[in-house]
Amino acid sequence: MNQSMGIRTYSSSTFPPPCLTSASRNPNFPLLSPRAICSPQRIYHCSGVQIEACVNSSLSKTSLDARYFLGWSETQSLFLKQPFYKYSLPLQALLTSKTQDVSHTPLIGDEKIGVLLLNLGGPETLEDVQPFLFNLFADPDIIRLPRLFRFLQKPLAKFISALRAPKSKEGYASIGGGSPLRRITDAQAEELRKSLCAKNVPAKVYVGMRYWHPFTEEAIEQIKRDGITKLVVLPLYPQFSISTSGSSLRLLEGIFREDEYLVNMQHTVIPSWYQREGYIKAMANLIEKELVNFDCPKEVMIFFSAHGVPLAYVEEAGDPYKAEMEECVDLIMEELEKRRINNAYTLAYQSRVGPVEWLKPYTDETIIELGQKGVKSLLAVPISFVSEHIETLEEIDVEYKELALKSGIEKWGRVPALGCEPTFISDLADAVIESLPYVGAMAVSNLEARQSLVPLGSVEELLAAYDSQRRELPPPVTVWEWGWTKSAETWNGRAAMLAVLVLLVLEVTTGEGFLHQWGILPLFH
Ligand SMILES: C=CC1=C(C)c2cc3[nH]c(cc4nc(cc5[nH]c(cc1n2)c(C)c5CCC(=O)O)C(CCC(=O)O)=C4C)c(C)c3C=C
Ligand SMILES: [Fe+2]
């Protein structure tokens, strides 16, 4: 801790200081605007605590509030995104306390701590595939329809899931008849529980899936039955996307709002954790280990392949996914460079669905290009997900490998997903422990605050920061992008539905059209 001009500066090792912890627990914490933090020179006077944010000039205001200060609650409290103090990111908080140190409230005591792991879920049998796909496509964070067409969400989900199911089933059949996600996530939950226990934080760990069993709703019921009093919500996605963590948090927001017990339960969210040292080191370990399997490890191109999202998520809705992904790759490469591993590397995006533009470069196109450029050895690194799943086991291991070998690449390797890798699990446990001082930080003092989120300030602020206006994204089918005047809306809507019906009939009878292009109607291929 430095002492200069009466301001106590907390370094990453001393942060968060006790005064922040107690300030954040103070129910009388005054109103702060999330935007106000963008003015780095300002000192806020709040309950005897002054807070100043010192911002590296290279950080834009937008990236500051979107990525580092997620939790300035409009109502009262403060929530700091976990990783920023743990690692030497360009942002540092300088804290001054007029009321010297305030005693630290014990964290565990009689509390019952719960950790809720959020994940996507996957079909366990081939019969599950279609209903699983229905749940996925019925999610407005996956297919975002213009407001006028929201009533079509479920019929459309039914339709697309029925059409995509045969192709999807083929994929799941080829990896053993179902997704391994539940088994792996359950194992991660158990290892996390053990690791927390070994670190003297006894906690129950729950798994809440978004689109298949055990559903988030089921996990929440169990949390209530167990009488959990403090809950840490931890999405199992290292990087935040509106389509993944965002979707799960939005669901949770609804559940929390409607439940008396949950409204009163203290909770906090760890929105993303891709910069955590343990995670970065664990990824670097896996890469290092896999590189030695090549005859000439130095010649190997390290090929990070992330799950894509439609470009509009990033460009129109402000999804931080791409920025976080790029930063994550940089951090892993920095870690490898420290180990004197200086291989060439690249990042591309896989698994696109539908006719709209997704994040580029695309994995398949990049593989072909690398082959053309004469790259001979490739090490694929799945980067957006911490379990093996259909897109690692089928898309990468089978489809991309075959494409690579056809494209002139001679040696192919793939880094396994982290699964229950001990450094990784231990780091997740640390993330949970470090978040505990913030559980209940959004202390409740008015009804609005109590009815808000997970906790107030975290999810809502988080979603607001990332997806501020919840802008409508281009619908998945271009025929619905028609412009209209108000008076024409009704007719356009009806005409659009009619057009979809006509297109469907044409698709089914001719075997050609957008659904075939999209890969969701493979029946006539
Ligand atoms: C960070 C990871 C993921 C992002 C981002 C993501 C966005 C996204 N996905 C779809 C469509 C589908 N996803 C499907 C399965 C699936 N997706 C992820 C991860 C991310 N998705 C996982 C882990 C899985 C489950 C895999 C398993 O083992 O079960 C599927 C179903 C499979 C298939 O038919 O291909 C679809 C469809 C969209 C549209 C999207 C962003 C908007
Ligand atoms: Fe997906």
Side-chain angles (χ1 to χ4, degrees):
M1 191 175 73
N2 302 322
Q3 199 96 44
S4 65
M5 296 188 304
I7 293 180
R8 291 192 299 171
T9 308
Y10 291 86
S11 69
S12 54
S13 59
T14 55
F15 199 92
C19 68
L20 172 59
T21 306
S22 47
S24 64
R25 288 166 159 267
N26 183 347
N28 300 316
F29 208 73
L31 192 147
L32 288 173
S33 154
R35 305 284 162 225
I37 199 69
C38 286
S39 166
Q41 304 316 323
R42 272 170 56 184
I43 296 180
Y44 301 99
H45 298 262
C46 33
S47 308
V49 178
Q50 294 177 357
I51 297 171
E52 181 184 18
C54 171
V55 188
N56 180 310
S57 55
S58 68
L59 258 183
S60 73
K61 287 180 178 184
T62 332
S63 63
L64 170 65
D65 55 19
R67 292 170 61 193
Y68 299 103
F69 269 90
L70 297 173
W72 288 96
S73 159
E74 289 287 358
T75 46
Q76 39 185 289
S77 300
L78 143 90
F79 176 79
L80 296 169
K81 191 180 175 192
Q82 287 303 305
F84 102 86
Y85 61 78
K86 185 85 171 51
Y87 299 101
S88 48
L89 289 168
L91 174 69
Q92 281 208 335
L94 305 175
L95 283 123
T96 62
S97 171
K98 281 184 187 163
T99 56
Q100 293 299 308
D101 288 348
V102 190
S103 64
H104 202 95
T105 318
L107 285 174
I108 303 175
D110 294 335
E111 304 285 1
K112 282 191 171 178
I113 297 175
V115 180
L116 173 59
L117 299 180
L118 298 175
N119 211 339
L120 189 128
E124 288 165 72
T125 67
L126 296 184
E127 286 73 59
D128 298 342
V129 171
Q130 193 170 323
F132 159 78
L133 289 174
F134 171 81
N135 293 341
L136 187 130
F137 290 120
D139 178 358
D141 281 314
I142 288 284
I143 292 191
R144 294 183 137 199
L145 294 176
R147 192 157 304 148
L148 194 67
F149 291 109
R150 293 263 161 88
F151 72 99
L152 279 178
Q153 188 89 40
K154 284 200 171 152
L156 186 66
K158 200 141 197 87
F159 174 67
I160 300 181
S161 57
L163 294 175
R164 189 169 171 95
K167 187 174 182 228
S168 253
K169 274 187 188 172
E170 255 177 53
Y172 284 108
S174 76
I175 62 162
S179 170
L181 257 182
R182 183 177 191 164
R183 180 178 45 78
I184 298 170
T185 314
D186 280 348
Q188 287 170 326
E190 176 56 10
E191 290 309 307
L192 179 60
R193 189 195 62 75
K194 286 190 206 153
S195 181
L196 284 167
C197 202
K199 293 172 195 266
N200 288 322
V201 180
K204 285 206 161 198
V205 183
Y206 305 86
V207 171
M209 301 291 198
R210 182 68 181 87
Y211 307 117
W212 205 246
H213 299 282
F215 288 111
T216 307
E217 293 85 341
E218 298 171 42
I220 291 289
E221 282 311 310
Q222 192 57 49
I223 285 167
K224 284 163 65 179
R225 280 196 292 275
D226 291 346
I228 294 299
T229 56
K230 281 181 182 282
L231 184 70
V232 177
V233 179
L234 175 57
L236 273 182
Y237 306 95
Q239 307 84 10
F240 183 95
S241 166
I242 293 168
S243 63
T244 54
S245 309
S247 164
S248 278
L249 295 178
R250 225 186 269 285
L251 172 74
L252 215 49
E253 175 182 26
I255 300 173
F256 271 57
R257 269 212 182 116
E258 282 163 21
D259 192 297
E260 177 82 13
Y261 177 95
L262 299 167
V263 163
N264 291 307
M265 184 180 62
Q266 296 186 324
H267 38 258
T268 195
V269 179
I270 301 174
S272 67
W273 36 270
Y274 64 93
Q275 317 97 317
R276 292 192 60 86
E277 203 176 349
Y279 164 73
I280 296 294
K281 286 205 160 121
M283 286 300 295
N285 291 347
L286 292 180
I287 295 172
E288 191 174 6
K289 197 167 156 212
E290 222 50 50
L291 278 175
V292 297
N293 293 334
F294 287 83
D295 296 337
C296 296
K298 287 190 172 168
E299 313 276 286
V300 178
M301 163 77 79
I302 301 176
F303 188 97
F304 293 95
S305 188
H307 197 301
V309 293
L311 189 63
Y313 279 59
V314 174
E315 292 197 342
E316 292 175 32
D319 197 332
Y321 182 71
K322 179 172 182 276
E324 293 198 358
M325 192 60 72
E326 288 170 359
E327 194 180 339
C328 178
V329 167
D330 288 348
L331 289 170
I332 295 171
M333 289 312 299
E334 272 169 31
E335 175 61 30
L336 287 171
E337 276 156 29
K338 281 187 208 151
R339 305 175 189 193
R340 300 188 191 287
I341 296 170
N342 296 300
N343 290 50
Y345 70 99
T346 190
L347 166 64
Y349 295 90
Q350 65 176 81
S351 317
R352 64 187 186 273
V353 186
V356 296
E357 196 178 347
W358 283 51
L359 283 183
K360 281 184 177 161
Y362 298 143
T363 294
D364 48 4
E365 292 177 3
T366 311
I367 289 176
I368 296 170
E369 264 170 42
L370 291 174
Q372 283 165 352
K373 282 183 187 154
V375 171
K376 293 291 169 213
S377 305
L378 211 64
L379 176 60
V381 185
I383 180 82
S384 45
F385 208 61
V386 293
S387 314
E388 296 296 347
H389 61 292
I390 191 165
E391 278 130 12
T392 52
L393 300 170
E394 205 272 326
E395 204 170 350
I396 298 186
D397 287 354
V398 181
E399 289 179 35
Y400 293 144
K401 180 178 178 183
E402 205 179 295
L403 181 66
L405 297 178
K406 263 197 213 148
S407 308
I409 286 152
E410 291 163 4
K411 299 264 164 54
W412 169 271
R414 206 262 287 176
V415 163
L418 281 165
C420 291
E421 202 278 332
T423 320
F424 163 59
I425 297 289
S426 169
D427 191 52
L428 280 188
D430 290 344
V432 169
I433 293 167
E434 287 158 26
S435 79
L436 287 174
Y438 301 101
V439 177
M442 308 303 142
V444 287
S445 74
N446 66 45
L447 190 64
E448 195 192 336
R450 291 159 67 103
Q451 281 176 345
S452 196
L453 240 283
V454 191
L456 212 212
S458 71
V459 176
E460 233 163 36
E461 285 295 334
L462 200 145
L463 292 173
Y466 286 140
D467 193 11
S468 47
Q469 293 155 31
R470 207 172 193 297
R471 283 196 203 117
E472 286 155 5
L473 295 174
V477 183
T478 29
V479 69
W480 292 342
E481 277 177 16
W482 294 346
W484 49 69
T485 62
K486 274 192 176 164
S487 63
E489 275 180 5
T490 317
W491 285 108
N492 273 342
R494 288 173 188 168
M497 283 186 68
L498 195 67
V500 171
L501 272 176
V502 171
L503 285 176
L504 281 179
V505 173
L506 285 174
E507 286 256 0
V508 173
T509 49
T510 64
E512 279 177 13
F514 65 88
L515 293 170
H516 286 79
Q517 272 173 23
W518 214 22
I520 58 177
L521 191 53
L523 302 174
F524 300 97
H525 273 192

